[in-house]
Amino acid sequence: MRDVKNLGDWDIIVVGGGLVGTAAGLGMARDGARVLILDASDTSFRASRGNFGLVWAQSKGAGNRDYATWTRSAVRAWPELEEELKELCCVDTHYENGLGLHLCLSEAEFDKRAEMIGRVAAHELPGDDVRMIRRDELTEIMPGVGPEVCGASISSIDGACHSLSLYQGLSLGAQAAGATLLSNVAVSSIESTDNGYTVTAEGLTAQAPKVLIAAGLATNDLARPFGFPDLVRPQKGQILVTERSAPILPAVTSGLRQTAEGTILIGDTKEETGEDNSTGEGIRELASRAVRLLPAIGNLRVVRSWAALRVLTPDGNPVYDESPTHPGVFVATTHSGVTLAPAHRGPLAQWIINGQRPPEFASFTAQRFA
């Protein structure tokens, strides 16, 4: 029989070391909690390493004012998070904001976008200036757009970061704040005990009165025994990366962005599958649209591509909830781990540790899918 090492008692055990788990772990450790983060192997599906890096609010919350409010409060807190990661672990996330665009290639696309943006604007949230602009105004901002581009939605609060740097910063920052992070230890069970919960993972056990399940696509299996309905499903997105180029993108767009190194990211597809492999069809779709949006991209070589799986709830909004049958077991899942990182480090962490429940969470319960 394999020996089991006991890691002792903690205030909380976080199951999942992605963007959500490490951000929450950072916030809880910063406030003095003894935090253990258990992360699965590098062969796991990892939305944290495959995303586009947008810090994006303009399209969030069209059908849910709470989601719109939650997202915009997170975006406003991004500069604070960036500075904290620099201080804790000297990681620069290369965060930029000030102008975000979603380009439309046809009148049908423009009208569909305008309808959605109109619902967002109807919330009349403070500081939110999202609106639609036509081609004549757009070309003053991006003179190189293709002839098919007829307009765009625009927002001054949207931007982007280097997503891998954010992932590194949250991981190192949580540890610098006092959390313990163990990698390559997939959690196999969470069991209720007289004093809380025992978590078992790869020959290790640990105990805590609270457990946060932030395990991405593994969330359903881990959360189901604690009275949660199934919460997540996968959706594949593919991304292309060009060679380095002199600056040709004066703004961040939802499908094109130039990194600090000069490469251009082209994304992304929305494919209903649980396989995370790149495909020729997806690559052609992305390349074709990119050249139609900005013809200058056609002069650059594509140097790599990748695919990753989004973690989506049925309605696209986050889930932050406590088990209805086992107090102390929490679930947190969202496909906006980059944008919402400051909210996970702040209000989410405060709720779990101190019971300070944000008002928006009334819309984010798991039982809405029961």
Side-chain angles (χ1 to χ4, degrees):
M1 182 177 178
R2 183 179 180 182
D3 291 336
V4 176
K5 180 180 179 181
N6 193 316
L7 299 176
D9 296 327
W10 305 81
D11 293 324
I12 184 163
I13 299 170
V14 180
V15 180
L19 292 173
V20 177
T22 53
L26 166 59
M28 293 185 288
R30 184 191 56 187
D31 287 344
R34 295 172 300 153
V35 180
L36 174 64
I37 304 172
L38 300 177
D39 195 23
S41 72
D42 284 344
T43 59
S44 302
F45 290 125
R46 291 214 179 253
S48 296
R49 296 181 181 176
N51 63 74
F52 202 62
L54 294 180
V55 179
W56 211 250
Q58 64 173 265
S59 56
K60 307 291 176 61
N64 187 317
R65 182 183 176 87
D66 286 337
Y67 189 23
T69 302
W70 180 245
T71 302
R72 283 150 185 79
S73 65
V75 169
R76 286 193 294 271
W78 242 94
E80 179 185 338
L81 173 64
E82 182 188 34
E83 289 305 311
E84 182 175 23
L85 295 183
K86 288 178 180 178
E87 293 175 6
L88 282 172
C89 54
C90 300
V91 172
D92 186 351
T93 66
H94 302 285
Y95 172 59
E96 57 176 322
N97 77 326
L99 187 60
L101 297 167
H102 176 90
L103 307 179
C104 301
L105 276 173
S106 67
E107 288 297 327
E109 282 190 20
F110 187 92
D111 291 343
K112 182 178 180 180
R113 187 74 177 180
E115 189 275 333
M116 185 269 289
I117 293 300
R119 287 189 285 137
V120 173
H123 295 318
E124 297 183 345
L125 299 174
D128 192 3
D129 60 358
V130 61
R131 62 189 178 93
M132 300 298 296
I133 60 174
R134 281 292 183 177
R135 180 181 174 85
D136 55 350
E137 187 174 351
L138 174 62
T139 53
E140 294 180 5
I141 302 168
M142 293 185 66
V145 294
E148 297 176 76
V149 178
C150 61
S153 59
I154 184 171
S155 168
S156 68
I157 67 173
D158 290 334
C161 72
H162 192 298
S163 59
L164 292 180
S165 294
L166 172 63
Y167 188 24
Q168 179 189 38
L170 290 174
S171 176
L172 295 177
Q175 294 173 80
T180 297
L181 189 152
L182 300 180
S183 299
N184 297 309
V185 284
V187 169
S188 55
S189 69
I190 305 169
E191 298 179 353
S192 178
T193 67
D194 292 339
N195 299 317
Y197 301 93
T198 295
V199 178
T200 302
E202 302 285 339
L204 305 173
T205 64
Q207 297 77 42
K210 295 181 180 181
V211 175
L212 170 60
I213 301 172
L217 292 174
T219 294
N220 288 344
D221 289 340
L222 291 168
R224 199 178 293 124
F226 300 99
F228 292 103
D230 284 353
L231 301 173
V232 298
R233 65 175 177 85
Q235 183 190 72
K236 183 170 76 172
Q238 298 187 54
I239 292 176
L240 305 183
V241 186
T242 73
E243 63 183 319
R244 297 183 184 187
S245 164
I248 62 173
L249 275 168
V252 176
T253 83
S254 57
L256 302 171
R257 55 173 295 247
Q258 195 157 15
T259 67
E261 297 87 356
T263 60
I264 295 176
L265 273 60
I266 302 169
D268 48 16
T269 62
K270 294 177 173 60
E271 305 171 52
E272 302 304 326
T273 177
E275 298 182 355
D276 64 345
N277 57 306
S278 294
T279 63
E281 181 181 359
I283 290 172
R284 287 191 295 271
E285 176 186 336
L286 291 173
S288 173
R289 182 174 179 85
V291 173
R292 292 167 66 195
L293 291 172
L294 195 69
I297 289 180
N299 298 320
L300 301 175
R301 294 174 295 179
V302 171
V303 295
R304 63 184 179 275
S305 69
W306 71 76
L309 296 177
R310 298 180 184 88
V311 182
L312 294 181
T313 64
D315 61 7
N317 296 337
V319 171
Y320 311 114
D321 208 352
E322 186 175 10
S323 165
T325 59
H326 292 74
V329 175
F330 298 84
V331 162
T333 185
T334 177
H335 76 283
S336 297
V338 171
T339 300
L340 296 177
H344 297 153
R345 159 186 141 275
L348 174 64
Q350 286 295 313
W351 169 58
I352 293 171
I353 291 298
N354 300 319
Q356 300 169 359
R357 188 171 186 261
E360 294 91 345
F361 283 16
S363 292
F364 302 148
T365 65
Q367 298 310 313
R368 72 185 190 267
F369 304 128

